[in-house]
C-alpha cells in the first residue's frame, strides 16, 4: 500500500480534527506524512557526517558521529519512510547515511554494532538487495561475535573498568544481526552464540516477576555473577522501562528467528508483566521507570514505541485470539497516544524529530524529556508493522470472504 506524499496534505492532516476516532489506516497515513516532512527537513540542518541524536539542553539539535551507538537509527528510519512512500529522494538520503557507517563493520570494542548496522544496512538490503550491504552485515556480525566469551555465555557489552564483564539487557537487540548472518551465510557459530546469550540472559537477568535488571556483571573466567544493577533506572531493584521494552522485543525476535518456544514464553511473560503492571498508565505510555511513585514523573515515548513494535509482532505468534488481541490492543493504544498532539511533533518543530518526551538516562541527567532518534525509529517501525501485519492481513481476509 503506497501513497503519494504532499507537504500541504501533511499540514492539513496534522491540524484537522473530528469527533469520530480516526481509523488506524488514517492514523498511519497522518503520522508517516509528518515523519517524512520532519526527516527531509532534518537533513537540511545536519552538519556533514553528523547523525541526529536528540535536543541539547540549550534547545538546539544535538548530533553525533558515526561511532555513537545511535547512528544507525536515522538511516534506518529513512529506509522505512522510503518503503512507505517510494520517494526516491528519501532513498537517496537513506543510502547516503547508511553508507557513512561502512567503517563500523570492523568495530570490535562495542556491542552496539548490531543496532548501528542492522537498522541501517539490514533495512537497506531488504529493500534494495544491494550485495555490498550484505558484505557489510557479514563482516559486522563477525566483529560483534568476537565479543562472545563461551565461559560466560554472553556477548560483552561495554569495555569499562567499572565492571569485569558487563552484559546489559539492550544487548538482546543486537542478536538480530547475528541471526541474520547465521541464516544467510550458514554460520552456525553465530546462531549458537546468539541462543547461548539469550539463554544466559533469560537465566540471570530476570527476577521472579519477569522484570529485568539492566546489567549483570560476570566473572569472565568462570561466568559466575559478580553483581546485578539497573544503571539507568530508579534503583538496582527497579524496572527501568526501556530495559523491559528491550527484553520484550529481543525475545519476540529470537522466537521469530529460531522457533524456540521458550523464547515465545519469555516474551509473553515480559509482555504480561508490563501490561498488567499497576503503574502502567491508562494510555500505556510508561513512566521512565515502573517503580516511580511520582504521578507526575517523566513518561518515556521511546519505551512505548519499542513496546508497541514488539507487541504487534508478538500478537502474530499467539494462537489464543483473546491474548493476541489484548497485545495488539495495547500496541494500538500506544500508537494512538504517540500519534496525538501530546507526543507527535508538529511539522517544523522539535528539531525535526518525530516524537517528543523521551527519556534516555535520567539518573545520569542525560537526555531527559527530549526527542530520541531511536524513539523515532521504533515508532515508525511500529506503524509499518501495524500496516503490514494487521491492516494488510485484514484486507486479505476480507477479500477471501
Amino acid at each position: 500500500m503506497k501513497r503519494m506524499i504532499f507537504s500541504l496534505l501533511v499540514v492539513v492532516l496534522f491540524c484537522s480534527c473530528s469527533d469520530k476516532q480516526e481509523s488506524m489506516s488514517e492514523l498511519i497515513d497522518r503520522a508517516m506524512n509528518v515523519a517524512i516532512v520532519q526527516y527531509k527537513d532534518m537533513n537540511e540542518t545536519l552538519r556533514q557526517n553528523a547523525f541526529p541524536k536528540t535536543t541539547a539542553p540549550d534547545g538546539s539539535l544535538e548530533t553525533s558521529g558515526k561511532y555513537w551507538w545511535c547512528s544507525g537509527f536515522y538511516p534506518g528510519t529513512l529506509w522505512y519512510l522510503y518503503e512507505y512512500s517510494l520517494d526516491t529522494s528519501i532513498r537517496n538520503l537513506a543510502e547516503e547515511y547508511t553508507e557513512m557507517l561502512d567503517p563500523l563493520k570492523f568495530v570490535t570494542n562495542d556491542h552496539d554494532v548490531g543496532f548501528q548496522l542492522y537498522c541501517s544496512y539490514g533495512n537497506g538490503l531488504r529493500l534494495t538487495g544491494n550485495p555490498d550491504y550484505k558484505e557489510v552485515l557479514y563482516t559486522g556480525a563477525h566483529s560483534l561475535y568476537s565479543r562472545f566469551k563461551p565461559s560466560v555465555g554472553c556477548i560483552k557489552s561495554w569495555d569499562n573498568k567499572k565492571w569485569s564483564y558487563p552484559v546489559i539487557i539492550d544487548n538482546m537487540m543486537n542478536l538480530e544481526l547475528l541471526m541474520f548472518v547465521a541464516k544467510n551465510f550458514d554460520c552456525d557459530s553465530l546462531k549458537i552464540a546468539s541462543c547461548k546469550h539469550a539463554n544466559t540472559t533469560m537465566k540471570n537477568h530476570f527476577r521472579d516477576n519477569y522484570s529485568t535488571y539492566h546489567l549483570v556483571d560476570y566473572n569472565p573466567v568462570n561466568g559466575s555473577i559478580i553483581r546485578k544493577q539497573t544503571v539507568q533506572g530508579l534503583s538496582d531493584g527497579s524496572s527501568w522501562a526501556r530495559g523491559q521494552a528491550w527484553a520484550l522485543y529481543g525475545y519476540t525476535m529470537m522466537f521469530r528467528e529460531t522457533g524456540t518456544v521458550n523464547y515465545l514464553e519469555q516474551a509473553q511473560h515480559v509482555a504480561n508483566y508490563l501490561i498488567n503492571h499497576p503503574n502502567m498508565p491508562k494510555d500505556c505510555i510508561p513512566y521512565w521507570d515502573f517503580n516511580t511513585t511520582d504521578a507526575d514523573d517523566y513518561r518515556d515515548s521511546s519505551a512505548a514505541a519499542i513496546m508497541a513494535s514488539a507487541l504487534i509482532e508478538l500478537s502474530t505468534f499467539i494462537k489464543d485470539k483473546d491474548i493476541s488481541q489484548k497485545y495488539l490492543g495495547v500496541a494500538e493504544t500506544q500508537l494512538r497516544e504517540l500519534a496525538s498532539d501530546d507526543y507527535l511533533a508538529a511539522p517544523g518543530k522539535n528539531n525535526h524529530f518525530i516524537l517528543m518526551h523521551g527519556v534516555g538516562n535520567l539518573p545520569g541527567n542525560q537526555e531527559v524529556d527530549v526527542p530520541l532518534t531511536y524513539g523515532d525509529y521504533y515508532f515508525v517501525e511500529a506503524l509499518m508493522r501495524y500496516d503490514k501485519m494487521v491492516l494488510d492481513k485484514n484486507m486479505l481476509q476480507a477479500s477471501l470472504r
Side-chain angles (χ1 to χ4, degrees), residues 53-62 350-351 353 367 370-371:
K53 182 180 176 184
T54 184
T55 290
D58 66 1
S60 64
L61 173 66
E62 183 175 338
N350 200 39
N351 282 312
F353 288 98
E367 301 172 347
V370 291

Side-chain angles (χ1 to χ4, degrees), residues 205-213 269 273:
H205 259 76
F206 290 89
R207 307 179 183 98
D208 290 343
N209 63 0
Y210 295 102
S211 66
T212 178
Y213 289 94
H269 287 315
Y273 169 79

Side-chain angles (χ1 to χ4, degrees), residues 133-313:
Y133 289 5
K134 199 169 185 180
E135 182 278 325
V136 172
L137 294 169
Y138 176 87
T139 303
H142 283 83
S143 294
L144 177 61
Y145 174 65
S146 72
R147 297 183 63 77
F148 177 76
K149 199 173 188 67
S151 61
V152 176
C154 281
I155 296 166
K156 186 179 182 182
S157 297
W158 300 328
D159 291 340
N160 190 310
K161 293 181 179 179
K162 289 173 61 177
W163 299 281
S164 296
Y165 197 98
V167 177
I168 58 176
I169 191 63
D170 318 38
N171 215 339
M172 285 296 303
M173 304 293 285
N174 293 298
L175 302 183
E176 192 165 12
L177 172 61
L178 297 185
M179 292 301 299
F180 170 83
V181 172
K183 180 184 297 184
N184 286 275
F185 290 90
D186 196 24
C187 297
D188 287 345
S189 59
L190 273 62
K191 179 179 180 179
I192 292 169
S194 296
C195 292
K196 183 63 175 177
H197 181 103
N199 295 341
T200 303
T201 299
M202 191 187 304
K203 177 182 177 182
N204 296 327
H205 259 76
F206 290 89
R207 307 179 183 98
D208 290 343
N209 63 0
Y210 295 102
S211 66
T212 178
Y213 289 94
H214 180 197
L215 180 150
V216 176
D217 192 19
Y218 292 93
N219 182 324
V221 176
N222 57 23
S224 62
I225 296 171
I226 298 173
R227 54 179 165 169
K228 299 182 180 183
Q229 297 178 274
T230 302
V231 182
Q232 291 176 229
L234 188 67
S235 68
D236 285 343
S238 71
S239 298
W240 172 52
R242 195 166 74 248
Q244 315 311 305
W246 292 142
L248 174 63
Y249 192 112
Y251 283 98
T252 300
M253 176 275 298
M254 284 299 292
F255 174 72
R256 180 222 307 153
E257 294 300 320
T258 68
T260 301
V261 175
N262 287 350
Y263 298 149
L264 178 61
E265 292 174 345
Q266 187 72 5
Q268 284 191 261
H269 287 315
V270 176
N272 294 339
Y273 169 79
L274 295 174
I275 290 170
N276 298 319
H277 198 286
N279 216 16
M280 173 66 90
K282 290 183 179 180
D283 61 12
C284 296
I285 309 299
Y287 295 100
W288 72 280
D289 192 295
F290 278 91
N291 289 79
T292 182
T293 57
D294 183 355
D296 295 321
D297 210 342
Y298 296 106
R299 304 289 193 91
D300 183 8
S301 59
S302 73
I306 298 161
M307 278 186 61
S309 186
L311 285 170
I312 292 165
E313 181 170 37

